[in-house]
Amino acid sequence: MSLTSEQLFEKSLKLVPGGVHSPVRSFKGLHTTPRFIKSAKGAYITDEENKTYVDFCMSFGPMILGHQDQEVKENIIRALDNGWTYGACEKYSLELAEFIINKISFIEQIRFVNSGTEAVMTAVRLARGYTGKNKIVKFNGCYHGHLDAMLIKAGSGLAGTAEASTKGITQEIASNTLICELGDLESVKEIFALHGNDIAAIFIEPLPANNGLLVQDHAFLQGLRDICTKHNSLLVFDEVISGFRIGFGGMAEQTGIHPDIVTYGKIIGGGMPVGAVAGKTEIMSQLAPAGPVYQAGTLSGNPVAMIAGLTSLKKLTPTAYTTLETQTKKIATLFKEWGMGHGFSDYNILTHGSLFWAVPSNEKFTNIKHIPSNLNERFHELFKVFLNKGIYLAPNAWEVGFVSLAHDDKVVEDIKNKLWN
Ligand SMILES: *Cc1c(COP(=O)(O)O)cnc(C)c1O
């Protein structure tokens, strides 16, 4: 007899810290057990008990085409037939590099890595190596992966003071990361007045989507661009979520504000582990072996991951983005309508492109300070109702929902049935 998700999780708790290989999968605070997923297809995932859900987690973003896109699958299988990693130059990574560089105007060179974290880690080192400066600025409420330099939060002292947000990070590292508030250009100017000569880069998610959906004003992002230019610091857009999601060129394309370095992840690998750092040749050529900033990866640019990314990105046409936005709006409207009549009338569904965020408030959000304090308490109720109805939201109140091209009208109709039945 096969084990239930609950039994599997119990077993996993003994073998794996917290039962999971990435914390948010643990359903912490949701008063229910994580589901063990055994398969996925299109807009649906199926758990070990054969219950099927409409998936709005989509592996936290990468699966923008839906699960098991036929073309991606066939190309992966074809690539596998030739071998899956050589630790040598190969043609798919060249094709993927060329495809991206031809489409995104401010990118002249790109380096592939294996995750978003690795991309940001490389960007931090590259920014320091290129500018010869030590400090970086990040914003409260932005997530940049789990590298030491980014797991830093605002300290209790003066503006800009910082401390580690997790155990295991030295005070020396924390002291080189300066924290500012999203939307608050003045705080950034103050930090630059104090440390301007030693700031290598400002890092920002130009569409902050890891602590709710905190859409920034154009003027704020432009302000950051101007400050960086003035102080010879680099502007780094972490587009690991927003890249290829909010249009092909991400927020850099949507806003027309060009960063000096951009980081990608999630969608870029079509569901395989890929990340990337990209920018102008002048900066990128600082990376080894062209330049003095070391970076490497045994499995970087392996043919299977590269063909998955390449095939996926080729399908992301302007029409695809229009469709994604239309479907997202339809789904958000459905959720809102259902909530009104079913005890969740306090909820608003914010959207940007094919991302949505359910939040019990009607406010405009640009900063985590705006997030209502009952967010998690309300969310675990919503999450459980949805899960029982066969709708799988990302299992955390601060995570956004991801809509894919597989969430077509048939799926929308199915969501309607699931919600009202
Ligand atoms: C997901 C994410 C990361 C980390 O990527 P991993 O592949 O999980 O290491 C970094 N930055 C942003 C903006 C992300 O959304």
Side-chain angles (χ1 to χ4, degrees):
M1 237 198 54
S2 58
L3 300 177
T4 63
S5 286
E6 203 160 324
Q7 291 164 326
L8 289 165
F9 190 58
E10 214 166 281
K11 197 168 165 188
S12 190
L13 277 169
K14 295 198 185 91
L15 305 175
V16 176
V20 291
H21 297 284
S22 192
V24 75
R25 298 178 196 173
S26 72
F27 282 32
K28 199 173 169 186
L30 296 180
H31 309 279
T32 177
T33 321
R35 301 302 189 267
F36 273 68
I37 304 305
K38 71 169 182 191
S39 67
K41 179 103 193 185
Y44 294 89
I45 50 174
T46 302
D47 69 14
E48 289 288 339
E49 284 130 272
N50 291 317
K51 179 158 174 153
T52 292
Y53 308 83
V54 178
D55 186 11
F56 285 111
C57 179
M58 303 308 285
S59 196
F60 292 96
M63 308 313 290
I64 194 168
L65 304 177
H67 295 287
Q68 289 204 51
D69 176 84
Q70 197 56 30
E71 239 175 287
V72 177
K73 187 175 175 176
E74 279 167 16
N75 284 349
I76 288 174
I77 292 169
R78 194 167 312 138
L80 276 173
D81 255 347
N82 293 327
W84 39 95
T85 179
Y86 316 124
C89 296
E90 64 83 49
K91 257 169 70 180
Y92 295 135
S93 39
L94 177 59
E95 265 187 73
L96 181 56
E98 196 174 26
F99 188 74
I100 292 170
I101 289 164
N102 282 342
K103 282 197 164 251
I104 302 181
S105 66
F106 66 94
I107 298 181
E108 292 171 355
Q109 290 200 330
I110 190 164
R111 167 70 53 89
F112 294 119
V113 295
N114 304 289
S115 71
T117 295
E118 222 187 300
V120 174
M121 187 185 79
T122 304
V124 170
R125 190 178 306 133
L126 178 57
R128 286 179 173 148
Y130 176 76
T131 61
K133 301 177 185 185
N134 296 302
K135 296 186 186 303
I136 57 169
V137 171
K138 83 169 276 270
F139 293 91
N140 213 359
C142 285
Y143 178 67
H144 299 291
H146 66 95
L147 56 150
D148 285 6
M150 289 298 182
L151 292 178
I152 309 295
K153 63 179 181 188
S156 44
L158 291 168
T161 58
E163 55 192 58
S165 63
T166 161
K167 290 274 186 195
I169 293 175
T170 62
Q171 189 50 43
E172 284 69 40
I173 286 173
S175 70
N176 277 321
T177 299
L178 307 165
I179 309 292
C180 290
E181 292 297 326
L182 281 169
D184 183 359
L185 209 53
E186 286 313 309
S187 76
V188 183
K189 284 182 183 158
E190 277 169 33
I191 293 270
F192 270 82
L194 281 171
H195 304 281
N197 295 332
D198 200 26
I199 298 175
I202 296 179
F203 281 73
I204 188 168
E205 279 182 84
L207 177 65
N210 277 288
N211 277 283
L213 194 52
L214 307 171
V215 182
Q216 299 301 298
D217 290 336
H218 188 276
F220 175 65
L221 296 174
Q222 184 61 53
L224 299 181
R225 177 63 278 175
D226 296 343
I227 289 170
C228 285
T229 306
K230 183 175 161 199
H231 290 269
N232 290 316
S233 299
L234 302 185
L235 179 63
V236 183
F237 275 1
D238 180 357
E239 299 233 43
V240 170
I241 275 197
S242 52
F244 313 106
R245 162 82 44 195
I246 310 303
F248 193 90
M251 287 300 283
E253 177 183 79
Q254 192 169 87
T255 59
I257 299 168
H258 292 172
D260 299 296
I261 299 174
V262 63
T263 53
Y264 297 120
K266 301 196 168 103
I267 291 173
I268 197 172
M272 294 285 168
V274 180
V277 191
K280 293 260 182 284
T281 304
E282 187 191 329
I283 296 170
M284 291 300 294
S285 62
Q286 294 298 302
L287 286 177
V293 179
Y294 191 70
Q295 189 278 329
T298 301
L299 295 172
S300 296
N302 72 75
V304 177
M306 292 291 107
I307 194 69
L310 180 64
T311 312
S312 299
L313 297 196
K314 279 186 175 167
K315 297 187 88 163
L316 294 172
T317 59
T319 319
Y321 289 107
T322 315
T323 307
L324 282 165
E325 194 163 340
T326 307
Q327 296 308 100
T328 306
K329 286 193 177 135
K330 281 186 202 168
I331 290 161
T333 305
L334 267 190
F335 285 174
K336 178 74 192 158
E337 273 175 22
W338 176 84
M340 291 304 286
H342 296 82
F344 293 94
S345 56
D346 52 337
Y347 261 90
N348 202 4
I349 315 293
L350 306 175
T351 69
H352 194 91
S354 53
L355 299 175
F356 68 83
W357 186 43
V359 59
S361 164
N362 278 313
E363 299 297 308
K364 180 179 178 239
F365 291 90
T366 55
N367 187 296
I368 52 168
K369 283 193 249 176
H370 304 146
I371 296 177
S373 56
N374 66 344
L375 179 76
N376 191 53
E377 193 188 314
R378 293 292 287 137
F379 180 75
H380 83 74
E381 295 167 23
L382 180 74
F383 180 80
K384 240 159 81 175
V385 174
F386 268 41
L387 199 68
N388 286 335
K389 287 179 172 294
I391 298 170
Y392 188 98
L393 297 174
N396 182 293
W398 286 266
E399 296 284 347
V400 293
F402 299 91
V403 174
S404 80
L405 284 168
H407 291 78
D408 58 12
D409 282 343
K410 235 178 107 191
V411 175
V412 172
E413 204 49 41
D414 187 29
I415 295 166
K416 207 189 266 181
N417 289 332
K418 283 180 155 64
L419 282 176
W420 272 272
N421 281 337

